[in-house]
Amino acid sequence: MSKRALKKYLKELDKEDLEEQIMDLYERLDEVKVFYNFVFNPNERKLIENAKVKIGKEYFPENRRKRPKARRSIAQKLIKHFKKLGVDPIKTADLMLYNIEIAQTFAEDRSKIKDAFYKSMFKSYEEAVKFILQNGLATDFESRIIKIALHTETQDWPNSYLFLKVSSQFD
């Protein structure tokens, strides 16, 4: 169904039918429930804190016997979800950079890290910088962006030159 056809259909419904359909969607679809819960109780701070805890557990599990999974996909799902909900871009950008910073902390004391890790962190970095620039937040995050790039060089990441190249936009 096209957006135009949906608008036409919704205009034909009376208020009670429309309310009934929205309630039905709310009960059936978790995404609708999450959306309305966020709209009426936008506790962004709590959402960000929970997301940071989840990302942190990927690199530093609570149970020390567990191996860190270090999956980029966990952070990417959370970031995508925040963008869909319309979370404040400053908070979303903060989470994006936090993801890279905690990955760098993880990489500090590891000697055998696969190239895929560095490649995926660069992709996250590129996406974060793009998001920050698109939302006009460069002045808010410039120092963190540069710090991350310099840290890759300090840690001798094989693709640190790419980070430095992207961060040179802020010099």
Side-chain angles (χ1 to χ4, degrees):
M1 176 181 262
S2 70
K3 197 173 181 180
R4 176 187 252 172
L6 178 62
K7 279 184 178 183
K8 183 179 177 186
Y9 170 73
L10 292 174
K11 283 183 181 181
E12 293 172 359
L13 294 175
D14 62 17
K15 184 180 177 185
E16 287 176 12
D17 290 337
L18 190 57
E19 287 172 359
E20 191 176 305
Q21 277 201 2
I22 291 173
M23 286 305 297
D24 185 41
L25 288 172
Y26 183 84
E27 290 169 3
R28 286 184 191 213
L29 304 174
D30 286 337
E31 292 150 349
V32 174
K33 191 177 285 190
V34 168
F35 173 76
Y36 278 111
N37 286 339
F38 179 75
V39 167
F40 292 109
N41 186 20
N43 193 346
E44 292 179 339
R45 191 176 58 80
K46 185 179 176 186
L47 279 174
I48 295 291
E49 286 174 15
N50 290 341
K52 285 182 177 180
V53 167
K54 282 183 184 177
I55 293 168
K57 286 180 183 178
E58 277 298 302
Y59 297 98
F60 303 100
E62 288 176 345
N63 184 347
R64 296 209 181 256
R65 286 185 236 162
K66 270 185 137 182
R67 271 192 30 199
K69 294 179 182 166
R71 296 175 294 188
R72 174 180 180 264
S73 62
I74 299 302
Q76 291 311 112
K77 284 179 189 174
L78 291 166
I79 291 163
K80 184 178 179 183
H81 179 65
F82 285 4
K83 287 178 181 177
K84 251 186 192 175
L85 284 178
V87 172
D88 179 13
I90 288 178
K91 290 183 171 101
T92 303
D94 173 58
L95 183 65
M96 294 171 99
L97 294 178
Y98 172 81
N99 174 47
I100 301 161
E101 291 163 342
I102 197 147
Q104 287 182 318
T105 304
F106 168 78
E108 276 178 359
D109 58 351
R110 303 264 189 280
S111 58
K112 294 181 180 179
I113 295 180
K114 296 179 181 176
D115 284 344
F117 171 83
Y118 299 115
K119 188 176 179 180
S120 72
M121 283 303 113
F122 177 67
K123 186 170 168 90
S124 291
Y125 183 74
E126 266 188 321
E127 289 170 2
V129 169
K130 182 179 177 184
F131 179 82
I132 288 165
L133 291 173
Q134 285 175 338
N135 286 281
L137 303 172
T139 55
D140 296 309
F141 293 101
E142 178 179 359
S143 63
R144 279 176 75 185
I145 289 168
I146 293 170
K147 185 178 176 186
I148 289 169
L150 294 173
H151 203 60
T152 62
E153 190 175 44
T154 305
Q155 287 185 332
D156 202 25
W157 285 23
N159 60 350
S160 64
Y161 68 96
L162 294 171
F163 284 83
L164 293 169
K165 184 178 177 183
V166 170
S167 73
S168 68
Q169 300 174 64
F170 297 93
D171 291 338

mmCIF file of all heavy atoms in Angstrom, residues 27-46:
data_model
loop_
_atom_site.group_PDB
_atom_site.id
_atom_site.type_symbol
_atom_site.label_atom_id
_atom_site.label_comp_id
_atom_site.label_asym_id
_atom_site.label_seq_id
_atom_site.Cartn_x
_atom_site.Cartn_y
_atom_site.Cartn_z
ATOM 1 N N GLU A 27 -0.933 -3.474 20.488
ATOM 2 C CA GLU A 27 -0.963 -4.790 21.129
ATOM 3 C C GLU A 27 -0.233 -5.850 20.306
ATOM 4 O O GLU A 27 0.396 -6.742 20.865
ATOM 5 C CB GLU A 27 -2.407 -5.223 21.383
ATOM 6 C CG GLU A 27 -3.078 -4.395 22.461
ATOM 7 C CD GLU A 27 -4.585 -4.619 22.547
ATOM 8 O OE1 GLU A 27 -5.122 -5.468 21.797
ATOM 9 O OE2 GLU A 27 -5.225 -3.934 23.364
ATOM 10 N N ARG A 28 -0.276 -5.751 19.001
ATOM 11 C CA ARG A 28 0.312 -6.775 18.125
ATOM 12 C C ARG A 28 1.797 -6.599 17.848
ATOM 13 O O ARG A 28 2.531 -7.573 17.748
ATOM 14 C CB ARG A 28 -0.394 -6.787 16.772
ATOM 15 C CG ARG A 28 -1.750 -7.386 16.793
ATOM 16 C CD ARG A 28 -2.263 -7.406 15.376
ATOM 17 N NE ARG A 28 -3.662 -7.722 15.332
ATOM 18 C CZ ARG A 28 -4.217 -8.403 14.355
ATOM 19 N NH1 ARG A 28 -3.505 -8.808 13.344
ATOM 20 N NH2 ARG A 28 -5.501 -8.657 14.385
ATOM 21 N N LEU A 29 2.212 -5.362 17.670
ATOM 22 C CA LEU A 29 3.576 -5.105 17.208
ATOM 23 C C LEU A 29 4.434 -4.448 18.290
ATOM 24 O O LEU A 29 4.123 -3.354 18.748
ATOM 25 C CB LEU A 29 3.553 -4.212 15.964
ATOM 26 C CG LEU A 29 2.732 -4.722 14.775
ATOM 27 C CD1 LEU A 29 2.681 -3.672 13.683
ATOM 28 C CD2 LEU A 29 3.328 -6.012 14.244
ATOM 29 N N ASP A 30 5.498 -5.141 18.650
ATOM 30 C CA ASP A 30 6.405 -4.609 19.667
ATOM 31 C C ASP A 30 7.001 -3.270 19.254
ATOM 32 O O ASP A 30 7.225 -2.391 20.087
ATOM 33 C CB ASP A 30 7.547 -5.595 19.939
ATOM 34 C CG ASP A 30 7.076 -6.798 20.738
ATOM 35 O OD1 ASP A 30 6.050 -6.687 21.442
ATOM 36 O OD2 ASP A 30 7.747 -7.849 20.667
ATOM 37 N N GLU A 31 7.281 -3.097 17.964
ATOM 38 C CA GLU A 31 7.876 -1.843 17.485
ATOM 39 C C GLU A 31 6.956 -0.656 17.740
ATOM 40 O O GLU A 31 7.421 0.434 18.088
ATOM 41 C CB GLU A 31 8.198 -1.949 15.995
ATOM 42 C CG GLU A 31 9.305 -2.929 15.702
ATOM 43 C CD GLU A 31 9.159 -3.590 14.346
ATOM 44 O OE1 GLU A 31 8.088 -3.453 13.717
ATOM 45 O OE2 GLU A 31 10.114 -4.242 13.941
ATOM 46 N N VAL A 32 5.657 -0.860 17.566
ATOM 47 C CA VAL A 32 4.687 0.213 17.810
ATOM 48 C C VAL A 32 4.647 0.528 19.303
ATOM 49 O O VAL A 32 4.632 1.696 19.709
ATOM 50 C CB VAL A 32 3.278 -0.169 17.281
ATOM 51 C CG1 VAL A 32 2.245 0.872 17.664
ATOM 52 C CG2 VAL A 32 3.321 -0.370 15.775
ATOM 53 N N LYS A 33 4.682 -0.517 20.121
ATOM 54 C CA LYS A 33 4.677 -0.343 21.575
ATOM 55 C C LYS A 33 5.928 0.427 22.016
ATOM 56 O O LYS A 33 5.841 1.369 22.803
ATOM 57 C CB LYS A 33 4.635 -1.708 22.264
ATOM 58 C CG LYS A 33 4.363 -1.643 23.747
ATOM 59 C CD LYS A 33 4.255 -3.026 24.351
ATOM 60 C CE LYS A 33 2.933 -3.638 23.974
ATOM 61 N NZ LYS A 33 2.630 -4.879 24.689
ATOM 62 N N VAL A 34 7.076 0.049 21.505
ATOM 63 C CA VAL A 34 8.335 0.735 21.844
ATOM 64 C C VAL A 34 8.262 2.189 21.410
ATOM 65 O O VAL A 34 8.648 3.096 22.152
ATOM 66 C CB VAL A 34 9.542 0.023 21.189
ATOM 67 C CG1 VAL A 34 10.803 0.863 21.268
ATOM 68 C CG2 VAL A 34 9.765 -1.338 21.832
ATOM 69 N N PHE A 35 7.754 2.432 20.207
ATOM 70 C CA PHE A 35 7.638 3.799 19.703
ATOM 71 C C PHE A 35 6.760 4.657 20.613
ATOM 72 O O PHE A 35 7.162 5.745 21.032
ATOM 73 C CB PHE A 35 7.068 3.804 18.275
ATOM 74 C CG PHE A 35 6.770 5.184 17.768
ATOM 75 C CD1 PHE A 35 7.790 6.026 17.352
ATOM 76 C CD2 PHE A 35 5.459 5.658 17.730
ATOM 77 C CE1 PHE A 35 7.525 7.311 16.900
ATOM 78 C CE2 PHE A 35 5.178 6.936 17.278
ATOM 79 C CZ PHE A 35 6.213 7.756 16.861
ATOM 80 N N TYR A 36 5.564 4.181 20.940
ATOM 81 C CA TYR A 36 4.669 4.974 21.781
ATOM 82 C C TYR A 36 5.203 5.123 23.202
ATOM 83 O O TYR A 36 5.037 6.174 23.828
ATOM 84 C CB TYR A 36 3.250 4.408 21.775
ATOM 85 C CG TYR A 36 2.470 4.853 20.568
ATOM 86 C CD1 TYR A 36 2.119 3.964 19.560
ATOM 87 C CD2 TYR A 36 2.105 6.184 20.411
ATOM 88 C CE1 TYR A 36 1.425 4.384 18.438
ATOM 89 C CE2 TYR A 36 1.412 6.619 19.293
ATOM 90 C CZ TYR A 36 1.067 5.711 18.308
ATOM 91 O OH TYR A 36 0.387 6.135 17.207
ATOM 92 N N ASN A 37 5.843 4.096 23.720
ATOM 93 C CA ASN A 37 6.442 4.217 25.049
ATOM 94 C C ASN A 37 7.519 5.302 25.044
ATOM 95 O O ASN A 37 7.654 6.060 26.001
ATOM 96 C CB ASN A 37 7.037 2.887 25.517
ATOM 97 C CG ASN A 37 5.962 1.902 25.913
ATOM 98 O OD1 ASN A 37 4.836 2.273 26.217
ATOM 99 N ND2 ASN A 37 6.305 0.630 25.905
ATOM 100 N N PHE A 38 8.285 5.375 23.960
ATOM 101 C CA PHE A 38 9.316 6.404 23.854
ATOM 102 C C PHE A 38 8.697 7.783 23.677
ATOM 103 O O PHE A 38 9.143 8.750 24.292
ATOM 104 C CB PHE A 38 10.267 6.104 22.693
ATOM 105 C CG PHE A 38 11.325 7.153 22.529
ATOM 106 C CD1 PHE A 38 12.396 7.223 23.390
ATOM 107 C CD2 PHE A 38 11.229 8.099 21.515
ATOM 108 C CE1 PHE A 38 13.364 8.196 23.259
ATOM 109 C CE2 PHE A 38 12.192 9.081 21.376
ATOM 110 C CZ PHE A 38 13.261 9.134 22.246
ATOM 111 N N VAL A 39 7.661 7.883 22.849
ATOM 112 C CA VAL A 39 7.018 9.175 22.578
ATOM 113 C C VAL A 39 6.437 9.775 23.861
ATOM 114 O O VAL A 39 6.594 10.964 24.121
ATOM 115 C CB VAL A 39 5.906 9.031 21.506
ATOM 116 C CG1 VAL A 39 5.020 10.267 21.450
ATOM 117 C CG2 VAL A 39 6.530 8.773 20.149
ATOM 118 N N PHE A 40 5.830 8.922 24.690
ATOM 119 C CA PHE A 40 5.176 9.439 25.886
ATOM 120 C C PHE A 40 6.072 9.434 27.122
ATOM 121 O O PHE A 40 5.741 10.048 28.127
ATOM 122 C CB PHE A 40 3.882 8.677 26.166
ATOM 123 C CG PHE A 40 2.839 8.947 25.124
ATOM 124 C CD1 PHE A 40 2.481 7.974 24.204
ATOM 125 C CD2 PHE A 40 2.239 10.194 25.028
ATOM 126 C CE1 PHE A 40 1.548 8.234 23.215
ATOM 127 C CE2 PHE A 40 1.306 10.461 24.044
ATOM 128 C CZ PHE A 40 0.954 9.476 23.138
ATOM 129 N N ASN A 41 7.197 8.750 27.038
ATOM 130 C CA ASN A 41 8.144 8.740 28.147
ATOM 131 C C ASN A 41 9.556 8.686 27.580
ATOM 132 O O ASN A 41 10.235 7.662 27.691
ATOM 133 C CB ASN A 41 7.871 7.543 29.073
ATOM 134 C CG ASN A 41 8.731 7.558 30.304
ATOM 135 O OD1 ASN A 41 9.272 8.588 30.685
ATOM 136 N ND2 ASN A 41 8.888 6.407 30.928
ATOM 137 N N PRO A 42 9.988 9.778 26.972
ATOM 138 C CA PRO A 42 11.290 9.751 26.286
ATOM 139 C C PRO A 42 12.474 9.857 27.248
ATOM 140 O O PRO A 42 13.142 10.874 27.322
ATOM 141 C CB PRO A 42 11.214 10.962 25.360
ATOM 142 C CG PRO A 42 10.323 11.908 26.093
ATOM 143 C CD PRO A 42 9.327 11.057 26.834
ATOM 144 N N ASN A 43 12.723 8.797 27.997
ATOM 145 C CA ASN A 43 13.842 8.790 28.935
ATOM 146 C C ASN A 43 15.117 8.428 28.178
ATOM 147 O O ASN A 43 15.625 7.311 28.259
ATOM 148 C CB ASN A 43 13.571 7.809 30.079
ATOM 149 C CG ASN A 43 14.533 7.994 31.220
ATOM 150 O OD1 ASN A 43 15.558 8.665 31.076
ATOM 151 N ND2 ASN A 43 14.215 7.396 32.350
ATOM 152 N N GLU A 44 15.607 9.397 27.420
ATOM 153 C CA GLU A 44 16.775 9.167 26.568
ATOM 154 C C GLU A 44 18.011 8.824 27.381
ATOM 155 O O GLU A 44 18.810 7.995 26.977
ATOM 156 C CB GLU A 44 17.046 10.399 25.704
ATOM 157 C CG GLU A 44 15.992 10.638 24.669
ATOM 158 C CD GLU A 44 16.241 11.874 23.822
ATOM 159 O OE1 GLU A 44 16.999 12.773 24.258
ATOM 160 O OE2 GLU A 44 15.673 11.943 22.724
ATOM 161 N N ARG A 45 18.163 9.462 28.520
ATOM 162 C CA ARG A 45 19.342 9.219 29.358
ATOM 163 C C ARG A 45 19.421 7.750 29.767
ATOM 164 O O ARG A 45 20.472 7.114 29.666
ATOM 165 C CB ARG A 45 19.310 10.121 30.589
ATOM 166 C CG ARG A 45 20.608 10.143 31.375
ATOM 167 C CD ARG A 45 20.557 11.141 32.530
ATOM 168 N NE ARG A 45 19.483 10.885 33.474
ATOM 169 C CZ ARG A 45 19.528 9.968 34.448
ATOM 170 N NH1 ARG A 45 20.579 9.221 34.608
ATOM 171 N NH2 ARG A 45 18.504 9.816 35.273
ATOM 172 N N LYS A 46 18.293 7.197 30.171
ATOM 173 C CA LYS A 46 18.258 5.786 30.586
ATOM 174 C C LYS A 46 18.530 4.869 29.390
ATOM 175 O O LYS A 46 19.252 3.875 29.511
ATOM 176 C CB LYS A 46 16.896 5.460 31.206
ATOM 177 C CG LYS A 46 16.812 4.068 31.762
ATOM 178 C CD LYS A 46 15.461 3.800 32.395
ATOM 179 C CE LYS A 46 15.368 2.363 32.857
ATOM 180 N NZ LYS A 46 14.038 2.022 33.337
#
